[in-house]
Amino acid sequence: MYRASVGLTTNMKASATGWVARNAADLGADGIWIGEDISLGQDPFVLAAATLLQSRGIRVGTGIIPIAVHNITTLARAAVTLQEIGEGRFVFGAGIGGIQDLQRRDIKIRRPVTALKEGVDVLRRLWQAENVTRNAEILHLQDYSLRLRKPVEIPVFLGVRGPQMLKLAGRIADGVILSGPFDYLRYAIEVIDKSSTETGRKRDEVEKVVWLPTIPTFKGMKEKLAKRVVAIVVADMPPPILDMLQLNREKLERIQAQVAANGPKAAAPLIDQEIMDMFAISGNREHMVDLFDELGEMGATEVVLGPPFSGEWREAMSEIFEEIALRRGV
Amino acid sequence: MNWGLAVNVYDTVHRIVEKCVIADQGGIDWLWVTDFPAVRHAPSLAAIVAENVKRSRIGVGLVSPLLYRPEQIVQFMSTLIDNYGERFDLLIGPGDRPQLSRIGIEYGNISMLVTRLVSDVTKIRDELGQRGYDGVRVWLGAQGPKMIAASIKADGVLLNYTDPKMLKWALSILGEIPKGFQIGAFPPALITENPDCSKEYGLRKSAATVAMGLGQSVVSEFGLMDTLSAARISLKQKRSIDQDVVDAIDEATLKRFALCTTPEGACNYIKILEGIGLDMVTFGPPQGTSRKLVKNLVKTRVHWDDTV
């Protein structure tokens, strides 16, 4: 059976993130993931620290921190600090970051796969208490160490999408954080498993966390809002992923064009149930957990609930975890 | 007079928190959680310190805007306040130049550094103010005359000097002090019953770090050109401060850059600083590096409260 966690983003209020942290274990969640909306809302590291401090016994991870937006030593120091605060419960989730976000910050990465690989390699060496000298595209270190008395083990999960990145994750990551339509997820899990076994790793050695927008429509969240969210997700989907889908391509392109021209609200009427089920986990509690089960059968080892959070989301979250527990026979 | 203690150099989170709790219970007013080149991440550490201490105000910094963009600094300060209340201050400074260089960050055009830092401080203060975080006091760490003069744009200045003569000189540069502006000193410190200052490498290294950070004009102002020249040459070759660099500075000079004294001596020193118009003393490393030394500081504070 897959693990089930709660997803937070930095653009949520402290009252909401604090509530999730304090209640996650009692709800039955196995972990909390924190996504960085770059420059929006809360600081990802302080939020992770507060979440570790407010929660009990469960794993807390960043999902994801864009690696090029921070100095590599800040990432290394923050991860060690969080691992000590959480007494071993912290997971470092990283990725290269969205192209548009990076461009807005004048960050250009010529070779993203190599940059991510080098970043992870350097972080692991620093956590192993090594002295590191390295000049690479996104980092420059000269005889730098964290002065650790003993190595610190921090699992690294990578948020990846394209085929080369998926292969890299299969080779080097402890886990991956995946997002996208169901057909794409099936493909991504296959690529990761193949890459990991080719590297001599066991098939299930790389954890697969699937984080999709979860939109419970049974506790006050309006279906219109759910459709707007999905319209945004469709609009952000790169063409190679759309090519993989068993969906009418023209319909998807119409949605993309409508979002670009008039915004997600205008595109919402074009979202039907088939598209909803492909891009999000939505509906009533039974239907949502059916979709989680489907992801589990596909090879996901963990599923993430939310955001967006709207309506009576606390009650909705509680009911979904109850349904999961029921099916686990707890 | 407010008392501060700098924590977070090479300790584990657990030990840092332990020392902060001792300091908090012992009446230390400010706990400054330093960032790079310390090996823990100050904003995250400030969260667990806030979770564990009740009374002390928590200072985040020194934080370098060369390492964090102003919006990142605003973000971590506002997140700390949202989660733990209005208990935080911020100390901004350029940071240690050779150490930053080792992680790929350069000062750039040195003549523009003060202007850049002041602009960053202004941005940070404005943004925090606009978001309603009015209780955060933004301090500027300063040593050179330009930075000291510019610090008036912040809410306070933490002067990287020990010697009262040097502190007086810094105050003369500040000129007329705006209402509410706070002035603090940040001496490397070792307060203990029987200090053997010449044998304390940690203290001597901290003193040497301050001395090596002095600009040319300050070195001339205090007639230190000759006495620091051998150490400067050694630092240029080695690119970091080690035993050879420290040993190249004579003891009398090092003494001007660190406080090494008994609890009674420390109280006398604080009285002098109070007399020249300072509002705070933050005891720098090695005072915060062990539980025993933090307890010594607490004892000194008790002695101060009993006698003054």
Side-chain angles (χ1 to χ4, degrees):
Chain A
M1 183 78 178
Y2 52 86
R3 295 159 55 95
S5 300
V6 182
L8 306 176
T9 69
T10 54
N11 205 18
M12 290 169 64
K13 289 210 166 96
S15 55
T17 55
W19 184 88
V20 170
R22 286 189 299 277
N23 292 285
D26 290 339
L27 287 172
D30 297 298
I32 297 172
W33 291 95
I34 298 164
E36 180 176 10
D37 289 328
I38 304 175
S39 298
L40 293 177
Q42 304 192 54
D43 174 80
F45 305 116
V46 176
L47 175 55
T51 305
L52 283 160
L53 290 162
Q54 291 161 351
S55 62
R56 285 173 295 106
I58 57 169
R59 189 160 82 168
V60 175
T62 51
I64 55 130
I65 300 276
I67 207 161
V69 172
H70 308 270
N71 186 281
I72 198 80
T73 60
T74 303
L75 298 176
R77 291 184 301 119
V80 167
T81 309
L82 293 169
Q83 188 64 315
E84 288 180 2
I85 288 174
E87 297 175 327
R89 290 190 286 128
F90 177 67
V91 174
F92 181 73
I96 208 71
I99 292 165
Q100 285 173 5
D101 281 333
L102 296 176
Q103 277 172 349
R104 270 200 294 275
R105 278 155 193 82
D106 276 338
I107 300 169
K108 288 185 186 109
I109 301 174
R110 282 180 295 113
R111 296 188 303 156
V113 179
T114 307
L116 187 58
K117 182 174 173 287
E118 282 172 335
V120 171
D121 181 51
V122 164
L123 286 170
R124 282 183 169 149
R125 288 182 58 195
L126 290 171
W127 296 335
Q128 286 301 305
E130 290 182 31
N131 256 43
V132 179
T133 295
R134 181 81 67 94
N135 274 307
E137 194 178 354
I138 60 162
L139 60 96
H140 303 278
L141 295 181
Q142 180 66 42
D143 192 25
Y144 179 78
S145 85
L146 292 173
R147 296 185 181 229
L148 299 172
R149 292 194 183 98
K150 55 181 183 183
V152 178
E153 294 301 328
I154 302 173
V156 175
F157 280 47
L158 296 180
V160 285
R161 185 169 267 174
Q164 296 308 318
M165 284 288 194
L166 290 167
K167 283 180 193 164
L168 173 73
R171 288 199 302 274
I172 70 166
D174 297 298
V176 286
I177 303 164
L178 299 168
S179 189
F182 272 55
D183 288 345
Y184 162 78
L185 293 171
R186 200 167 282 114
Y187 155 83
I189 289 169
E190 267 174 33
V191 174
I192 292 160
D193 282 343
K194 189 162 180 278
S195 167
S196 64
T197 49
E198 279 171 4
T199 324
R201 308 175 81 186
K202 286 182 194 147
R203 191 180 166 80
D204 55 357
E205 204 172 313
V206 184
E207 287 188 48
K208 289 114 191 164
V209 180
V210 173
W211 186 346
L212 299 178
T214 51
I215 311 167
T217 50
F218 59 96
K219 281 284 175 188
M221 184 183 270
K222 296 200 168 70
E223 201 170 304
K224 272 184 192 167
L225 173 64
K227 289 185 172 180
R228 282 213 296 269
V229 172
V230 171
I232 295 168
V233 176
V234 172
D236 281 346
M237 212 46 67
I241 293 181
L242 294 184
D243 290 340
M244 289 176 197
L245 310 182
Q246 310 287 323
L247 282 174
N248 182 329
R249 181 66 185 260
E250 253 177 52
K251 195 159 69 174
L252 295 171
E253 282 169 356
R254 266 206 310 280
I255 294 164
Q256 289 187 321
Q258 189 66 274
V259 172
N262 303 310
K265 199 175 173 184
L270 301 175
I271 305 291
D272 58 25
Q273 194 58 44
E274 189 186 19
I275 293 175
M276 286 288 280
D277 280 352
M278 185 59 87
F279 289 90
I281 308 284
S282 77
N284 62 32
R285 62 188 252 182
E286 290 82 8
H287 183 66
M288 289 178 78
V289 179
D290 284 346
L291 292 170
F292 284 149
D293 288 347
E294 195 181 327
L295 288 171
E297 281 158 22
M298 206 186 277
T301 55
E302 183 166 338
V303 296
V304 184
L305 263 88
F309 296 124
S310 165
E312 293 166 35
W313 61 268
R314 292 170 179 84
E315 288 80 2
M317 192 178 281
S318 173
E319 287 191 24
I320 294 166
F321 275 111
E322 270 172 29
E323 181 69 26
I324 292 171
L326 203 70
R327 295 195 193 185
R328 279 175 179 171
V330 176
Chain B
M1 176 67 95
N2 286 305
W3 292 42
L5 174 68
V7 293
N8 183 27
V9 185
Y10 303 122
D11 268 336
T12 61
V13 167
H14 177 70
R15 281 179 59 86
I16 292 163
V17 171
E18 257 183 355
K19 288 184 285 189
C20 285
V21 169
I22 294 168
D24 178 56
Q25 290 173 351
I28 304 302
D29 306 292
W30 254 273
L31 299 167
W32 288 98
V33 185
T34 58
D35 196 64
F36 182 87
V39 294
R40 299 298 184 281
H41 178 248
S44 308
L45 204 47
I48 191 168
V49 171
E51 187 91 24
N52 285 277
V53 307
K54 292 188 169 59
R55 194 192 141 273
S56 306
R57 228 173 140 74
I58 299 156
V60 184
L62 194 141
V63 165
S64 171
L66 303 177
L67 185 55
Y68 302 92
R69 295 188 311 279
E71 58 266 30
Q72 285 177 311
I73 295 173
V74 168
Q75 211 178 3
F76 64 64
M77 291 306 293
S78 55
T79 308
L80 283 167
I81 295 164
D82 287 347
N83 284 279
Y84 296 101
E86 292 262 14
R87 305 159 59 188
F88 300 91
D89 283 342
L90 174 67
L91 172 62
I92 294 289
D96 185 282
R97 191 178 186 177
Q99 298 272 16
L100 284 168
S101 179
R102 288 167 64 183
I103 62 164
I105 294 171
E106 302 297 340
Y107 269 16
N109 183 351
I110 198 84
S111 64
M112 294 303 294
L113 185 66
V114 174
T115 313
R116 181 184 163 179
L117 239 67
V118 170
S119 153
D120 288 343
V121 164
T122 308
K123 261 188 229 163
I124 291 164
R125 286 182 77 212
D126 289 352
E127 188 62 32
L128 285 168
Q130 276 168 22
R131 295 190 191 184
Y133 302 103
D134 299 318
V136 181
R137 194 171 283 155
V138 182
W139 301 68
L140 195 63
Q143 195 175 39
K146 283 182 192 164
M147 195 72 88
I148 293 170
S151 70
I152 219 80
K153 304 262 185 200
D155 300 303
V157 63
L158 217 46
L159 298 162
N160 207 5
Y161 290 108
T162 306
D163 187 340
K165 200 176 152 190
M166 293 179 182
L167 287 164
K168 269 188 194 168
W169 166 81
L171 290 179
S172 72
I173 292 168
L174 277 173
E176 201 174 321
I177 312 292
K179 200 179 165 203
F181 186 82
Q182 297 280 302
I183 306 167
F186 187 17
L190 181 72
I191 303 167
T192 181
E193 285 301 337
N194 300 300
D196 189 350
C197 307
S198 60
K199 287 192 178 152
E200 294 291 343
Y201 178 66
L203 180 76
R204 294 172 72 239
K205 188 176 177 187
S206 295
T209 304
V210 178
M212 289 295 96
L214 294 178
Q216 205 65 19
S217 62
V218 184
V219 171
S220 300
E221 176 75 30
F222 295 105
L224 298 170
M225 198 72 86
D226 292 340
T227 189
L228 293 179
S229 64
R232 287 183 146 198
I233 292 165
S234 181
L235 176 61
K236 213 167 191 178
Q237 288 164 349
K238 308 218 164 185
R239 297 187 67 193
S240 65
I241 294 170
D242 64 4
Q243 179 100 41
D244 291 342
V245 177
V246 177
D247 288 345
I249 307 172
D250 66 78
E251 287 305 316
T253 304
L254 281 178
K255 229 174 142 180
R256 298 184 71 181
F257 292 98
L259 179 68
C260 181
T261 186
T262 59
E264 294 75 20
C267 289
N268 291 335
Y269 172 76
I270 292 166
K271 264 182 218 160
I272 293 168
L273 299 196
E274 205 170 40
I276 62 175
L278 267 67
D279 307 292
M280 178 205 271
V281 183
T282 290
F283 298 93
Q287 197 69 44
T289 56
S290 77
R291 270 176 300 192
K292 192 179 165 199
L293 286 171
V294 176
K295 283 178 185 168
N296 282 350
L297 183 66
V298 166
K299 267 189 219 161
T300 309
R301 173 73 203 228
V302 172
H303 183 75
W304 170 266
D305 287 342
D306 288 348
T307 55
V308 178

